[in-house]
Amino acid sequence: MTTPRPTARPESGFTLVELLVTLVILGIIGALLPQAIILGLRFTAGTEQKVAATGALGTLNRYYYGDVQSADSVTTGPACGAADVIVHLSWTGTDVVYTYDPPTGALNRVKCTAGGVVTTVLGRFDPTTSSHPVTLSCGAETSCTRPMEVTLTVQSDPAAPPTALTAARRSSAS
């Protein structure tokens, strides 16, 4: 009688070479992953600020043209108790001032009527990029090609060219 021969079992596990290759690959991934995450976070933060500035410009655009068209006079004088006035537009029974608050970066529209004062935050600009991202470049005490035009210049990103919003007044009382 013959004794049964034990069957050979295949060896399981990793070889030393496979283990070393795996460790090298994990080391490379471990070194590059934090840099990729940091780069992604920087890109997201920059994009977030640009989107906020674009939103502020769009909201300003929505109110600005109607306000200028209604204005009987355009000055840079204070109204409604607002500080940091960019432009003051007024017509019968209504004053509207656009203001910028440098510490918070808030661009505001303040409307005063006999019924009260309504402040609308049009958006926020990054206060570290510019101390005054919105300026009046034509229309009050500043010179213009046509006195009926009022132009605001918006510089939301120092690397990008400024955006000029020019609206025409319907009346010319001043």
Side-chain angles (χ1 to χ4, degrees), residues 64-149:
Y64 177 69
Y65 288 100
D67 289 341
V68 171
Q69 288 177 352
S70 300
D72 291 327
S73 69
V74 180
T75 67
T76 55
C80 308
D84 294 321
V85 173
I86 298 168
V87 64
H88 172 190
L89 307 165
S90 63
W91 56 94
T92 307
T94 305
D95 286 300
V96 172
V97 292
Y98 288 87
T99 66
Y100 178 70
D101 183 31
T104 63
L107 177 65
N108 300 310
R109 175 185 183 262
V110 182
K111 182 176 182 180
C112 308
T113 62
V117 176
V118 177
T119 301
T120 305
V121 178
L122 302 176
R124 297 196 186 281
F125 293 93
D126 183 5
T128 60
T129 59
S130 175
S131 60
H132 289 287
V134 181
T135 56
L136 179 68
S137 55
C138 169
E141 290 85 19
T142 58
S143 62
C144 300
T145 54
R146 292 177 38 203
M148 295 279 296
E149 291 181 347

Side-chain angles (χ1 to χ4, degrees), residues 14 19 23 26 33-34 45 56 61 74 82 95 104 125-126 129 136 139 151 165 171:
F14 295 106
L19 185 60
L23 289 174
L26 285 175
L33 188 61
N61 194 14
V74 180
D95 286 300
T104 63
F125 293 93
D126 183 5
T129 59
L136 179 68
T151 302
L165 300 175
S171 61

